[in-house]
Amino acid sequence: MTVDPVSVTKTVFALVDVNNCYVSCERVFNPSLEGKPVVILSNNDGCVVARSAESKALKVAMGEPWFKLKDLAKQHGIIALSSNYTLYGDMSQRIMTVLRDYSPDVEVYSIDESFLGLNGLEGVWGTPTAMGQSIRQRVKQWVGVPVCVGIGHSKTLAKLANHIAKKRPAFDSVCDLTALSPHEQDGIFSTIEAGEVWGIGRRLSAQLQAAGIETVAQLRDASPAWIRSRFGVVVERTVNELNGLSCLALEDVAPTKKQIIASRSFGQPVLTIDELGESVASYMTRAAEKLRLQGSVCEAIQVFVQTNSFKASDRQYSNAVVVPLPNASCDTRLLIRAALFGLEQIYRPGYYYKKAGVILQGISSASVQQQSLFSTFGDGDKSEAMMRTLDGLNQRFGKGAVSVAAAGILNDWAMKRERKTPNYTTSWSEIPVVRAN
């Protein structure tokens, strides 16, 4: 065995996943959407990024441009909504709060998925299946969205169990692989494509098929040494996890991001450097907030602009530049100053710009950064106090309550979100109104 397992067959994980998360969040506040085909659109209402089960049944594909679906939508009454990430993020936080009642070890894997460590909880909830059903009922009652629960001896098996719980009604949305006999597992695994396993993407799935591995059972039973020689150590680890050898531990604290990107397509073409500058300053403001939230600083930024490559009638142009900072910083003012300097270097007049953005690079912990002998702009106690005050005001009075003037106010270039629902749970002015006769 070449991989050191964290433990052997003793560890038990659960994966809780929200069914059709974005659509389910919308249905909580608009029950008339139940049973109807619903899609959630990307920024600027461009492409499909989430689908209800009814939309999937109509063969609506992820990433499909909305304008191509107009005829199908008219024929079947497909309802399209702009993405409302403020709502989805808040609903996700509420779900995670519920899950922490079931285990002290919770890893928030994504906005709609969380791993739970179940070691030491044997008997507390009766059986793992009983615990899973309790989670389903409580999340549905307290938050309003449906979830499925998968349970296994490794995180990969828990993910696979969740897939089974979603696809096979006999499990009633909770699948505990630890309770199934080897014969029962063989029967299920032999009917699931290897590409459904966590970490096996489309390209790798095709390579496995070419090597004669088509099902989960065949992947599980493959020689780890042979897998490593053909596909690398990551796939070998997956095979070990499918055999119940836990190689991936829970991550109590989310790892800090090594790169932060803030970018959006404009709601309408932008021509002037003033409007481009507003957008870049606005994106940098968001990126700097994320940087400070994880306690980091960055050493350089990349600024980029591009026109709409899908509009062949327009002249095309795209460019990017990296701007090193005089000192590592998370000060919004310094980062915006550098970003606008970079924008001036790559801006060319006469083009209809569709998109701009910034990428923070050289990210490291603010607590271990190399200090400068002389105080420089964007560094030191004054900068830290200024940013702390800025973040505190925005947290208290709402996002954007206080910002750098360069980010502008009107933001005519902002993305289109013509179908967005209210922020039901985070804004007093948008809270749902109930009328009783």
Side-chain angles (χ1 to χ4, degrees):
M1 187 65 63
T2 54
V3 176
D4 294 329
V6 175
S7 60
V8 179
T9 67
K10 298 294 184 183
T11 305
V12 180
F13 297 94
L15 176 69
V16 182
D17 184 22
V18 183
N19 301 347
N20 307 316
C21 180
Y22 296 172
V23 174
S24 295
C25 290
E26 298 285 356
R27 283 173 168 168
V28 171
F29 300 96
N30 186 358
S32 68
L33 297 176
E34 290 287 352
K36 296 179 181 176
V38 180
V39 296
I40 307 298
L41 302 178
S42 62
N43 295 328
N44 282 316
D45 296 343
C47 303
V48 173
V49 295
R51 305 161 293 167
S52 67
E54 295 80 5
S55 295
K56 294 175 184 174
L58 294 173
K59 308 297 183 186
V60 176
M62 284 290 283
E64 188 79 9
W66 174 237
F67 74 88
K68 289 186 177 180
L69 293 170
K70 293 293 177 65
D71 291 339
L72 186 69
K74 187 174 182 180
Q75 181 182 357
H76 296 283
I78 299 175
I79 300 169
L81 300 173
S82 303
S83 48
N84 185 347
Y85 294 112
T86 302
L87 173 65
Y88 310 149
D90 185 68
M91 297 289 281
S92 174
Q93 289 296 320
R94 293 167 188 242
I95 295 167
M96 303 316 165
T97 300
V98 173
L99 298 183
R100 290 189 176 92
D101 286 344
Y102 287 87
S103 171
D105 301 318
V106 176
E107 175 192 336
V108 180
Y109 180 68
S110 66
I111 194 170
D112 60 348
E113 289 181 288
S114 284
F115 286 102
L116 276 65
L118 303 184
N119 283 10
L121 300 178
E122 297 84 358
V124 174
W125 304 100
T127 65
T129 298
M131 182 209 67
Q133 290 296 346
S134 177
I135 289 175
R136 279 189 62 220
Q137 294 166 10
R138 188 174 296 183
V139 171
K140 181 65 176 175
Q141 182 178 0
W142 290 10
V143 185
V145 298
V147 300
C148 282
V149 183
I151 299 161
H153 282 305
S154 68
K155 292 171 78 172
T156 300
L157 284 173
K159 285 276 286 186
L160 184 61
N162 195 287
H163 171 81
I164 295 168
K166 273 189 169 58
K167 300 295 182 182
R168 307 200 176 203
F171 286 96
D172 195 19
S173 300
V174 177
C175 175
D176 177 14
L177 288 177
T178 69
L180 300 183
S181 67
H183 177 70
E184 290 172 319
Q185 290 191 23
D186 286 343
I188 296 174
F189 289 179
S190 61
T191 62
I192 303 175
E193 294 181 0
E196 297 293 346
V197 174
W198 188 29
I200 305 296
R202 185 177 302 175
R203 181 181 299 179
L204 189 53
S205 177
Q207 294 174 355
L208 287 169
Q209 283 188 21
I213 297 176
E214 297 185 351
T215 69
V216 174
Q218 290 172 326
L219 180 59
R220 178 201 59 188
D221 297 337
S223 163
W226 179 79
I227 287 287
R228 181 172 188 169
S229 66
R230 290 287 300 270
F231 304 103
V233 66
V234 174
V235 184
E236 180 198 24
R237 186 179 62 192
T238 298
V239 171
N240 287 327
E241 286 242 321
L242 285 175
N243 281 283
L245 305 180
S246 177
C247 304
L248 300 170
L250 286 180
E251 294 181 355
D252 297 329
V253 179
T256 57
K257 295 180 179 178
K258 297 302 182 184
Q259 190 179 70
I260 295 176
I261 302 174
S263 172
R264 290 283 188 279
S265 295
F266 303 132
Q268 58 188 32
V270 169
L271 284 90
T272 69
I273 192 170
D274 290 340
E275 285 189 302
L276 275 177
E278 280 191 6
S279 68
V280 167
S282 178
Y283 301 150
M284 183 55 80
T285 299
R286 300 287 173 80
E289 289 173 351
K290 293 180 180 178
L291 190 66
R292 292 192 294 274
L293 188 62
Q294 68 174 28
S296 300
V297 293
C298 71
E299 298 177 349
I301 62 170
Q302 181 177 353
V303 187
F304 65 89
V305 294
Q306 61 187 59
T307 53
N308 188 351
S309 60
F310 293 100
K311 202 165 184 179
S313 59
D314 289 352
R315 297 169 61 209
Q316 298 297 316
Y317 172 72
S318 64
N319 205 348
V321 63
V322 175
V323 182
L325 302 177
N327 49 278
S329 176
C330 60
D331 190 309
T332 300
R333 300 166 300 167
L334 174 64
L335 300 182
I336 288 180
R337 179 185 293 186
L340 295 180
F341 172 79
L343 178 63
E344 290 177 357
Q345 312 310 308
I346 59 175
Y347 172 75
R348 299 291 182 272
Y351 291 96
Y352 293 100
Y353 291 95
K354 179 62 177 175
K355 189 174 185 178
V358 297
I359 303 173
L360 307 188
Q361 300 178 344
I363 293 176
S364 60
S365 172
S367 61
V368 295
Q369 71 180 108
Q370 180 72 40
Q371 297 295 322
S372 171
L373 181 61
F374 302 103
S375 178
T376 55
F377 181 71
D379 190 18
D381 294 341
K382 288 185 177 179
S383 169
E384 184 179 343
M386 172 68 81
M387 292 302 107
R388 191 165 54 245
T389 302
L390 184 71
D391 292 339
L393 289 171
N394 284 326
Q395 288 172 8
R396 180 174 181 182
F397 298 106
K399 184 181 293 184
V402 181
S403 63
V404 175
I409 299 174
L410 297 178
N411 297 157
D412 292 334
W413 42 267
M415 63 181 178
K416 292 179 181 176
R417 300 173 79 187
E418 297 173 344
R419 301 165 183 268
K420 192 184 85 63
T421 53
N423 296 325
Y424 298 106
T425 59
T426 55
S427 173
W428 284 110
S429 62
E430 299 177 47
I431 195 169
V433 176
V434 178
R435 294 184 174 86
N437 295 322

